[in-house]
Amino acid sequence: MKKSKFSIRDITTIALMAALVFVATNIKIDIPTPLGKTMIHCGNVICVLAGLLFGGLYGGLSAGIGSAIFDLMDPIFAPEFWITFIMKFIMAFVAGKIANSGKPSQNKIILSSIVGIFLYKIVYTAKEIILHYFILKSPWETVIGVIVSTNLISIVSMCLSIIVTILLYNMVAPPLYRAGIIHSYASINKK
């Protein structure tokens, strides 16, 4: 009988963090724009935090699953749930890989948070260009309008997400380290 790569504890951790991502994404402010709905939410904070705490793979799965479930609950976002899974997975995976490589340090946590949040924005912007220009065949001026309007709103959200992620990490990581929860995952994520 082949042993599963994921233990019950691993699956439970991923599920718990995915649930936290879903709940945090529901803490939001909807912002209607002439070109569609956007929002400022707390989901990205927990996505990156999952990567920082539990490494790239577990953090990425948590972020992707929780965000995809959120999208499935909203008819506007539901058709793109799989894209959201990929984008949020990438964000948390990269942040987790950076944070959990080599010797841990506060600078690495800060860098991981910044890279994760900005990488997500880059991937999201690329998705918007592909959707509006290549699939919907919108004029380039409309595509630029979409990008500019969502990025202006996102700048504030991104800065807040980075700050809150670092603060939350510094609050929850020490007790998780003392409880031995983080160390048990660190060795699996570095393989």
Side-chain angles (χ1 to χ4, degrees), residues 26-37:
N26 275 293
I27 302 170
K28 64 184 175 15
I29 300 169
D30 286 328
I31 301 171
T33 70
L35 303 168
K37 175 180 159 184

Side-chain angles (χ1 to χ4, degrees), residues 58-186:
Y58 297 160
L61 288 171
S62 300
I65 292 167
S67 298
I69 292 171
F70 174 83
D71 276 10
L72 287 169
M73 300 297 168
D74 187 324
I76 292 172
F77 298 124
E80 297 181 6
F81 81 93
W82 64 276
I83 298 170
T84 299
F85 175 87
I86 293 167
M87 292 188 311
K88 299 292 182 159
F89 178 89
I90 290 169
M91 173 175 59
F93 181 82
V94 170
K97 284 296 187 184
I98 293 169
N100 291 288
S101 65
K103 189 175 181 179
S105 72
Q106 187 65 34
N107 288 338
K108 199 178 285 188
I109 296 304
I110 293 168
L111 176 66
S112 301
S113 300
I114 292 169
V115 169
I117 297 291
F118 274 92
L119 178 62
Y120 171 72
K121 191 58 194 167
I122 291 167
V123 173
Y124 182 84
T125 301
K127 181 216 55 144
E128 289 294 301
I129 291 170
I130 292 167
L131 172 67
H132 290 283
Y133 189 71
F134 294 105
I135 296 172
L136 298 176
K137 305 290 186 196
S138 299
W140 189 243
E141 295 78 24
T142 303
V143 175
I144 296 298
V146 169
I147 305 288
V148 168
S149 68
T150 58
N151 282 336
L152 287 175
I153 293 166
S154 294
I155 290 170
V156 173
S157 177
M158 290 166 56
C159 292
L160 288 173
S161 293
I162 291 165
I163 292 166
V164 172
T165 299
I166 294 165
L167 292 173
L168 273 177
Y169 177 84
N170 287 321
M171 288 172 45
V172 301
L176 291 175
Y177 278 119
R178 284 193 297 274
I181 294 170
I182 301 298
H183 293 297
S184 65
Y185 287 94

